[in-house]
Amino acid sequence: MPHPDRMDPTDTPPPPGKGSPSYRAQVGGQLAAAGFAPAAIAAMLDFDAEHFLFVRRVMKGDMPQTLMAELGTGLEASQFHALSAILRIRGGYGRPAPQEPTVGLLAEELCLDPSRASRIAADLVERGLVARAVSQEDGRRSILNPTERGMALMQAFLAAKWQRNARIFADWSVEDIETFARLFARYSEGMRREYPGAGGTGA
C-alpha cells in the first residue's frame, strides 16, 4: 500500500478540461521524480491546463477583438496588434529604450515577415490611424507614427480594457490581488529565464 504522501495525484479523474489521466500521469511522474509533492503536482497540472486556455485566448485575439467590436472600430485583430506594437516600440515597452517604429521593427515585434508587416502598416495608413514620416535619426528611413485618431482609438481601447479588468478583480481582496501580481511576476521571470527567445529584445 503506497504511503499517503507518495500517492499518484492522478489517481482520481481530473476535472473537465484539465487534461487526460494519461497525460497527467506521465507529467506527474516526471515532476515527482524532480521532487515535487503530490499536492504541488496536481496544482501545477491544473495551472498548466488553465494557462493553455489563457494562451489560446491571447493567440486568438479574444480580448482585442471583443473590445474592438464593442468600440465599433471595424479593425481586425492583426491591425490592432500592429497599432499597439507601434506604440510599444515608440515607448520602449519591453525594450532597452524607445525606438523609431519602422516596418522592420514592426515585423520583429509581431513575429511576421516584413512583407506582411508592410501590408498591415499600409492598411493602418489607409485608415488614418498611422502616418508615415521621415526618421529624425536617418533621413533615408521611413517610420510609422500613430495619428491623433490612432492615439484616440488606443485610449478608448485602454479605458474599455480597464473597465473589464476592474470587473474581473472586483471581488478579489487587496491581499489576493497583491499576491497574484507578485506570483505572476515571479512566474513570468522564470519563463523569461527558461525560454529567453531568439530576438533578444525582450518584447
Side-chain angles (χ1 to χ4, degrees):
M1 183 174 182
H3 189 280
D5 290 339
R6 300 296 181 188
M7 291 181 67
D8 188 336
T10 63
D11 282 345
T12 57
K18 298 295 185 179
S20 68
S22 61
Y23 172 78
R24 291 174 72 93
Q26 176 186 352
V27 178
Q30 182 178 349
L31 293 174
F36 289 95
I41 294 172
M44 291 167 72
L45 286 166
D46 287 349
F47 170 76
D48 180 67
E50 289 295 336
H51 186 257
F52 166 76
L53 295 174
F54 173 80
V55 170
R56 185 169 67 178
R57 284 192 293 271
V58 171
M59 293 181 67
K60 288 171 59 182
D62 288 352
M63 187 264 282
Q65 287 187 64
T66 297
L67 295 179
M68 289 294 100
E70 178 182 304
L71 296 172
T73 64
L75 281 185
E76 298 177 0
S78 60
Q79 295 167 339
F80 166 79
H81 286 309
L83 179 59
S84 179
I86 289 169
L87 291 172
R88 288 197 303 273
I89 295 167
R90 275 168 50 99
Y93 192 83
R95 293 173 174 269
Q99 293 177 270
E100 293 183 326
T102 62
V103 168
L105 285 179
L106 180 63
E108 174 191 297
E109 182 79 6
L110 297 177
C111 298
L112 299 174
D113 63 81
S115 61
R116 172 63 174 153
S118 181
R119 287 194 296 273
I120 296 174
D123 290 339
L124 293 176
V125 170
E126 185 176 349
R127 286 176 175 270
L129 300 173
V130 168
R132 298 187 188 275
V134 177
S135 167
Q136 297 298 310
E137 300 173 0
D138 183 349
R140 299 166 299 177
R141 188 170 60 191
S142 175
I143 62 173
L144 304 167
N145 286 330
T147 62
E148 288 187 11
R149 183 180 174 189
M151 293 296 292
L153 187 151
M154 288 304 300
Q155 288 300 319
F157 171 86
L158 290 174
K161 168 188 167 181
W162 280 103
Q163 285 177 356
R164 287 176 181 258
N165 281 356
R167 294 198 292 269
I168 290 171
F169 290 105
D171 59 351
W172 290 40
S173 69
V174 174
E175 292 76 15
D176 282 349
I177 293 174
E178 290 176 337
T179 299
F180 175 75
R182 175 175 55 82
L183 293 180
F184 191 83
R186 182 177 175 183
Y187 171 75
S188 184
E189 176 57 34
M191 289 289 287
R192 283 192 292 270
R193 182 177 63 251
E194 295 298 325
Y195 304 98
T201 64

